[in-house]
Amino acid sequence: SLPLQSWTLAYWPDGFIKWTGFATVAGPLSRGPLKLSADGARPAEGLAAQVHTTVSAVLVDTGTLKCTLPTSGDVLIGSLSVDGRVVARDGRLVCILQDGPDGGPADAPARAKYVGAVEKVTVEQSGPVRVVVRIEGRHRAQSGGRAWLPFVVRLYFYAGQDSVRVVHT
């Protein structure tokens, strides 16, 4: 018996469910075929992804990985810890805008650096198998006030897993 999380993706006009998404965590020792059933069997306890929201950050804990996501500022991922050891911190989105094509060394085009500024953080799914966090913002110039290139980054966390799926649009 494996833990299962489900959510509705779309409805028919009459209100019935059209599409449903499912997530589970099946390790390398899981053998198939797997069968989806509504028999009420309970999965093993202790495997759960958790999310906590504060004013300044969203905290995700998969049991193996802990992640801090600031709700504002230029840091996208505050820290990532695996088994209690910090493996990354202060992750940012960076854009370099070049004004024209590359030329020779004497006539290199001007470049400007932009850093992703977090404007909104939304927890789209909160476990127990999968946590999805949506981060929205714009790239802001390090010098000057220009803001452009809106972005959406979704981070997918799974119970018991030490990896993060990142989708940037």
Side-chain angles (χ1 to χ4, degrees):
S1 182
L2 297 172
L4 181 70
Q5 182 176 326
S6 65
W7 60 96
T8 302
L9 296 169
Y11 293 92
W12 290 105
D14 61 6
F16 285 95
I17 295 174
K18 182 176 185 179
W19 297 104
T20 303
F22 296 98
T24 191
V25 178
L29 300 178
S30 299
R31 301 237 184 254
L34 299 176
K35 177 183 166 188
L36 181 63
S37 67
D39 64 7
R42 308 300 295 162
E45 293 296 321
L47 181 67
Q50 300 176 8
V51 61
H52 303 285
T53 304
T54 69
V55 174
S56 60
V58 173
L59 312 167
V60 180
D61 184 349
T62 69
T64 305
L65 177 136
K66 291 184 181 181
C67 181
T68 303
L69 306 166
T71 55
S72 63
D74 65 353
V75 173
L76 197 73
I77 298 174
S79 68
L80 282 174
S81 299
V82 176
D83 294 327
R85 183 176 53 92
V86 176
V87 295
R89 73 178 76 209
D90 296 336
R92 292 176 169 83
L93 293 177
V94 177
C95 169
I96 305 294
L97 175 64
Q98 180 173 305
D99 189 16
D102 283 336
D107 53 320
R111 294 182 180 167
K113 185 175 182 178
Y114 292 78
V115 177
V118 174
E119 296 172 352
K120 184 178 179 184
V121 177
T122 306
V123 177
E124 292 184 329
Q125 289 187 4
S126 58
V129 174
R130 174 170 116 148
V131 171
V132 180
V133 180
R134 175 186 170 122
I135 303 170
E136 300 172 69
R138 295 182 184 279
H139 289 83
R140 298 199 190 282
Q142 279 196 314
S143 57
R146 184 178 183 198
W148 71 310
L149 287 178
F151 63 84
V152 174
V153 173
R154 278 190 176 84
L155 302 174
Y156 297 81
F157 303 88
Y158 292 88
Q161 302 298 302
D162 61 1
S163 59
V164 180
R165 178 176 176 228
V166 179
V167 177
H168 176 275
T169 56

